[in-house]
Amino acid sequence: MKFTSRPTAVVLGLTLAAAALAGCSEEASGGGGTDGGSEASACAPEDVTLVGQVRNESNPYEASWLDGGDAFAEQMGLEQQRLTYDGDSTKQQEQITQLLAGNTDCLVMNILPNGDSDTLPIVEGAQEAGAFLVTQWNKPSDVNVEDYSQWLSHITYDGVDSGQQIGDALAEAIGGSGGIIALQGILDTGAAKDRFAGLEASLEANPEVELLDQQTANFSRDEALAVTKTLLTKHGDKVKGIWAANDDMALGALAALEQAGRTDVAVVGIDAVPDALTAIEDGTMTATVSSDGPWQGGIGLAIGYCVATGELSVDDIAAEDRAWFAEQFLITADNVADFSAPAVDEADFACDNVFSRSQGAIS
C-alpha cells in the first residue's frame, strides 16, 4: 500500500527510509520503569514482532490504520499481526494477555485502547513483560507515560479543536442559525469527550445555532443510521445540520437522510475516510478532519521498532514526546482535492523524525 500523508510531503525512496530505520546501535533499549525493568540488548531487526490492534476493520479509518502498519512492516522486511476486538474491552484484554504470554523480548505493539479505562491494564502488562508499547487516542488523564519505561509514547489529537472546527464549518453551512443534532462517539473515550466539548465551544461562538438533541452512536455507521432516523422523526424539518464525532457516523447519517429524502441537511465528521472525502467532493457532506490513519498505523510501530532495535533510547525521548498531540487538517470542498491523493512522506518513519508531526505535549 501507499502511505497517505500531508499533500505537500516530500516523496523519499523506500531504500533510504529503510536504511535510516535499520541503522541500529548495540545500546540497551528501555530500563528504569515503575517495575525497575532490567536492561536488554538491542533486537536484531529481523527479530522484531510488530502488532497493530484496533476495534474493527469495518471502520474505514481503523482499516487504514492497519494498512499503514502493514506498509511500514513491509518497508522493514517484516509482517504486522493485525488484531481487532470488535469494540469489546474484554476481548481486547484477552488478546493482549495472549500476546504478552509469548516471547516479548522484541515485541512492538501499536494499540488503540477501547476506552480510557482499558489503557492502564495494557500498559502494566507491557511493562511487566518487557514489550515495547505505543498507545493512541485513549488514556486516563491522571496516568503519566513517563512513569513507565516500556510505554514509549502516547499519541492523540486535540479533539476540542477538531470538534470546534467541524462545528464552526457546520454553522457556516447552515447560514449561522438553525437546529442541529449531534452524534457522539463511545462516551468512555477522550476523543468523544473532547470532540463534544469542541462542539459546545462552537455553539457558544455561534449562539443562533441550536443543539436540538444529542445521542451516542458509538462511532458506528449502523448505529448512526438508526439514531439519525429516530432523531429526524422526532425533530423533523427543524434539523438543518448533523454534527458527527467521526466520519463513520456521518456516513450513517447521510444514509438516513437519503432514506428520508432530505437533501437540505449539512453533515460534518472527523477522520477523512475515503467515502467521506467522496461525499465532500460531490457536495453531500460539508467537512471532515484528517488525522491520517495510515500514518498512525505506521508511526506507532516505527517508534517501537526504533527503540527495540536500539536506534532510539526511551531515556532520550523528550518529555513532550512521551504524550503528545499530532497534526490534523480540516478538509472542506475548498481543499478536498489536496487530500484525495496526497503525496508520500516516508521520512516520517525514520528514527530521527518520528516525532516530526508533534503539535506539543498533552497538558
Side-chain angles (χ1 to χ4, degrees), residues 110-127:
N110 184 27
I111 304 299
L112 169 61
N114 194 38
D116 291 359
S117 60
D118 297 299
T119 304
L120 192 55
I122 297 170
V123 169
E124 292 178 340
Q127 182 70 24

Side-chain angles (χ1 to χ4, degrees), residues 139 143-146 151-156 317-325 355 358 360-363:
K139 88 170 184 65
V143 177
N144 188 354
V145 179
E146 291 182 86
W151 190 10
L152 308 178
S153 197
H154 178 78
I155 305 167
T156 192
I317 298 176
E320 61 266 26
D321 292 331
R322 297 298 298 277
W324 48 288
F325 288 119
F355 301 108
S358 175
I362 300 171
S363 58

